[in-house]
Amino acid sequence: MQLGTPQSFSRVLSSMCTEPHPAAREAAERFLATNPGDPGTYETVADLERTVVERLGEIVGLSDPAGYLASGGTEANIQALRLARNRADSTEPNVVVPASAHFSFTKAADVLGLELRVAPLDGYTVSLPAVRELVDEDTVAVVGVAGSTEYGRVDPIPALADAVADASGDPLFHVDAAWGGFVLPFTEHAWSFADAAVDTLTIDPHKMGQAVVPAGGLIARDESLLADLAVDTPYLESTSQITLTGTRSGAGVASAAAALDALWPAGYREQYERSQANAEWLAAELRARGDRVVSPTLPLVAADIGRDAIDAVRAEGWRLSRTEQGEARFVLQPHVTRETLTAFLDELDRVR
Ligand code: 0PR
């Protein structure tokens, strides 16, 4: 069988994945045949996972974090809603999410039997009055997004936490920082456990964290919250399991550990500064060409460059996707350098 060659990242402009850090790639290979799902057998990787969770706790402003490394943001978001549902005693549970929430919440609501209540946006972030109106005694969780998939925007996390505190039921507050978690610590945004009464949070090492896929992260304020996820594992040496997947790759855990060791905090800060500067530069270049640009508050640019132009650059091999509104969406991942963007703009100028 011909395996072919994996794509290069040189023209990938809209992906939230990136070239893994070299240390992360090497660690992933070393731990490929380990399974943190069975800590009784694979002790080293299980210990390493606890260390990674500790380290992620530092990033998200939590001194004694609970959590684990999931297969990605989808699993982390599903699990956050699952524990919220399991601890509530509603027969008609619902979850309130912003219209900007990632489609993983649609999957979560589907598999968990939750009513998905979608709060409209006010600009690019969730409308607080709308959230307050949608929350009722059957609401088991409210979700805020810290770094939205399409526009990189941050919901008003402290105000959402207040709305949760005022709710008549006892909902949990989940923050989805799957992509934003590795850039937000270097900004002024209020987004983490340190800024508001957050219960659970998604932060994915395999996005801006420069680990290999699969490495998502679910972090909880307290170990007791995760107890609602535990199922008995009668024939393993460990007695219960909180993850959604059973067997899972230790490669993600080890690579996250290596990436965090190499990059937190100075390397991630430098990366954020480089990516943000590139985002602002690209926004200015496109505006100078007369394109409407949604201002990048994080390193993600959405710009109305025209449907035909997107098709034309795609035909030249550029991997560029659109927002629901049809704007081109540039995610300034580490592999998207100034040289890449200059080459892209040259192409854009050529095709239109
Ligand atoms: N939460 C947010 C805010 C996300 O942006 C994403 C993924 C998820 C959760 C789900 O994470 P997993 O995909 O790890 O389960 N957003 C990316 C996107 O839709 C996913 C992606 C990644 C798509 C790489 C394409 C790609 O090449 O853009």
Side-chain angles (χ1 to χ4, degrees), residues 40-120:
T41 306
Y42 303 92
E43 282 169 15
T44 309
V45 76
D47 289 346
L48 195 54
E49 182 171 30
R50 280 186 280 277
T51 311
V52 172
V53 168
E54 285 293 320
R55 200 64 76 79
L56 290 175
E58 265 176 55
I59 299 179
V60 302
L62 194 60
S63 56
D64 192 13
Y68 76 96
L69 287 200
S71 54
T74 300
E75 181 186 340
N77 287 338
I78 290 173
Q79 289 279 85
L81 297 197
R82 180 172 162 229
L83 73 87
R85 184 204 60 180
N86 287 2
R87 68 189 273 288
D89 62 1
S90 167
T91 51
E92 289 181 13
N94 69 71
V95 53
V96 177
V97 306
S100 55
H102 185 256
F103 53 76
S104 47
F105 290 102
T106 310
K107 298 181 187 177
D110 185 24
V111 295
L112 296 169
L114 293 171
E115 179 199 343
L116 190 68
R117 296 192 173 175
V118 180

Side-chain angles (χ1 to χ4, degrees), residues 1-349:
M1 199 190 301
Q2 286 283 342
L3 287 185
T5 309
Q7 92 302 320
S8 113
F9 277 101
S10 64
R11 294 191 165 198
V12 174
L13 299 177
S14 306
S15 179
M16 286 192 169
C17 298
T18 193
E19 192 77 70
H21 187 277
R25 183 186 287 275
E26 193 194 300
E29 276 174 21
R30 280 183 60 213
F31 280 77
L32 210 49
T34 64
N35 169 20
D38 177 7
T41 306
Y42 303 92
E43 282 169 15
T44 309
V45 76
D47 289 346
L48 195 54
E49 182 171 30
R50 280 186 280 277
T51 311
V52 172
V53 168
E54 285 293 320
R55 200 64 76 79
L56 290 175
E58 265 176 55
I59 299 179
V60 302
L62 194 60
S63 56
D64 192 13
Y68 76 96
L69 287 200
S71 54
T74 300
E75 181 186 340
N77 287 338
I78 290 173
Q79 289 279 85
L81 297 197
R82 180 172 162 229
L83 73 87
R85 184 204 60 180
N86 287 2
R87 68 189 273 288
D89 62 1
S90 167
T91 51
E92 289 181 13
N94 69 71
V95 53
V96 177
V97 306
S100 55
H102 185 256
F103 53 76
S104 47
F105 290 102
T106 310
K107 298 181 187 177
D110 185 24
V111 295
L112 296 169
L114 293 171
E115 179 199 343
L116 190 68
R117 296 192 173 175
V118 180
L121 304 185
D122 179 5
Y124 291 99
T125 57
V126 76
S127 154
L128 272 170
V131 170
R132 284 187 176 271
E133 209 170 297
L134 288 171
V135 170
D136 64 16
E137 67 275 11
D138 290 312
T139 302
V140 300
V142 173
V143 172
V145 184
S148 61
T149 309
E150 290 200 315
Y151 299 102
R153 294 299 175 106
V154 183
D155 285 327
I157 300 300
L160 279 173
D162 291 344
V164 171
D166 294 342
S168 58
D170 182 23
L172 289 185
F173 182 32
H174 176 67
V175 171
D176 184 359
W179 176 73
F182 284 90
V183 292
L184 285 162
F186 312 111
T187 71
E188 297 296 308
H189 290 280
W191 66 286
S192 74
F193 291 91
D195 303 307
V198 174
D199 294 301
T200 53
L201 182 145
T202 295
I203 173 172
D204 286 354
H206 75 199
K207 294 194 169 74
M208 268 295 190
Q210 299 177 48
V212 307
V213 180
L218 174 64
I219 303 296
R221 165 173 58 73
D222 195 281
E223 195 75 49
S224 65
L225 285 175
L226 300 179
D228 287 306
L229 294 173
V231 297
D232 294 341
T233 52
Y235 55 84
L236 293 182
E237 277 174 67
S238 46
T239 53
S240 69
Q241 199 173 73
I242 58 163
T243 54
L244 189 58
T245 50
T247 302
R248 60 199 167 98
S249 176
V253 172
S255 87
L260 285 162
D261 242 11
L263 297 169
W264 173 256
Y268 288 129
R269 176 187 289 279
E270 278 166 30
Q271 185 54 58
Y272 160 70
E273 285 169 358
R274 221 172 9 246
S275 291
Q276 186 63 30
N278 282 340
E280 280 158 24
W281 180 82
L282 175 64
E285 287 288 326
L286 290 170
R287 281 196 185 111
R289 287 162 171 79
D291 297 317
R292 188 185 62 84
V293 177
V294 181
S295 288
T297 58
L298 292 180
L300 201 164
V301 179
D304 221 344
I305 66 171
R307 188 163 284 267
D308 293 346
I310 296 181
D311 290 340
V313 294
R314 283 191 60 86
E316 296 299 326
W318 293 92
R319 293 289 157 250
L320 185 61
S321 68
R322 320 169 209 269
T323 63
E324 205 176 338
Q325 295 302 315
E327 296 121 337
R329 176 172 157 269
F330 303 86
V331 188
L332 281 292
Q333 293 296 98
H335 65 268
V336 183
T337 61
R338 188 68 63 95
E339 293 68 47
T340 309
L341 294 174
T342 305
F344 170 77
L345 289 171
D346 287 347
E347 189 91 75
L348 183 64
D349 292 340

